[in-house]
Amino acid sequence: MHPQWQDPEVIARLVRTARTVAVVGVSARPDRPSHQIAHYLHRQGLRVFPVNPALREVFGLQVYPDLAAVPEHIDIVDVFRRSEVVAPVAEQAIEVKAGALWLQLGIEDEASCAKAAAAGLDVVVNRCLMVDHRNLTG
């Protein structure tokens, strides 16, 4: 994993400036981290776009089948999918011209991250957006 994908300056800038976050792999189950983190970000005032083709709604928000269906520019694509299925998510993030690809704790895909970075997206790997948000915004 490239050290720049854990760059504290990039993380701080993303956390402080992002207004829209697509949470890919969101769960309807409140005990799941994807649900908890998406709900936290929503409560913090970010525009959260849950993404999961198997769901219609989660904590009162419409769920989108994929990134292409999200009706606004996405500042951060926050990924809660197994490492082996990150590639199509990264491709979609590039296609929709998202600002950043953020892979949650335990998720890594070096080739997809390199491709996203080469396309101009900021990349963060193996970090929790909620933890970084809490640490940087108090």
Side-chain angles (χ1 to χ4, degrees):
M1 179 173 54
H2 291 283
Q4 77 264 23
W5 297 341
Q6 296 249 328
D7 184 332
E9 290 179 18
V10 171
I11 292 166
R13 178 175 45 78
L14 290 173
V15 166
R16 290 189 173 115
T17 63
R19 296 292 166 254
T20 57
V21 179
V23 179
V24 177
V26 72
S27 173
R29 292 178 40 197
D31 62 318
R32 303 291 298 185
S34 62
H35 182 100
Q36 294 166 356
I37 292 168
H39 198 219
Y40 164 83
L41 295 170
H42 176 66
R43 288 191 323 263
Q44 296 306 305
L46 282 89
R47 292 220 1 106
V48 173
F49 297 97
V51 176
N52 183 330
L55 299 176
R56 291 176 135 347
E57 183 181 302
V58 62
F59 51 85
L61 296 178
Q62 176 182 349
V63 179
Y64 297 88
D66 55 33
L67 293 176
V70 173
E72 293 183 29
H73 176 264
I74 303 165
D75 295 324
I76 298 175
V77 175
D78 191 14
V79 181
F80 286 88
R81 298 293 321 251
R82 294 184 321 274
S83 297
E84 58 269 19
V85 293
V86 166
V89 176
E91 289 286 341
Q92 284 185 17
I94 293 165
E95 288 172 18
V96 302
K97 297 178 174 45
L101 179 69
W102 188 301
L103 304 186
Q104 282 290 143
L105 293 171
I107 304 171
E108 296 183 24
D109 179 339
E110 196 118 358
S112 294
C113 289
K115 191 170 186 178
L121 279 71
D122 287 315
V123 176
V124 177
V125 176
N126 199 28
R127 303 281 301 206
C128 177
L129 181 53
M130 181 176 75
V131 169
D132 285 323
H133 188 276
R134 281 183 177 157
N135 288 341
L136 291 164
T137 64

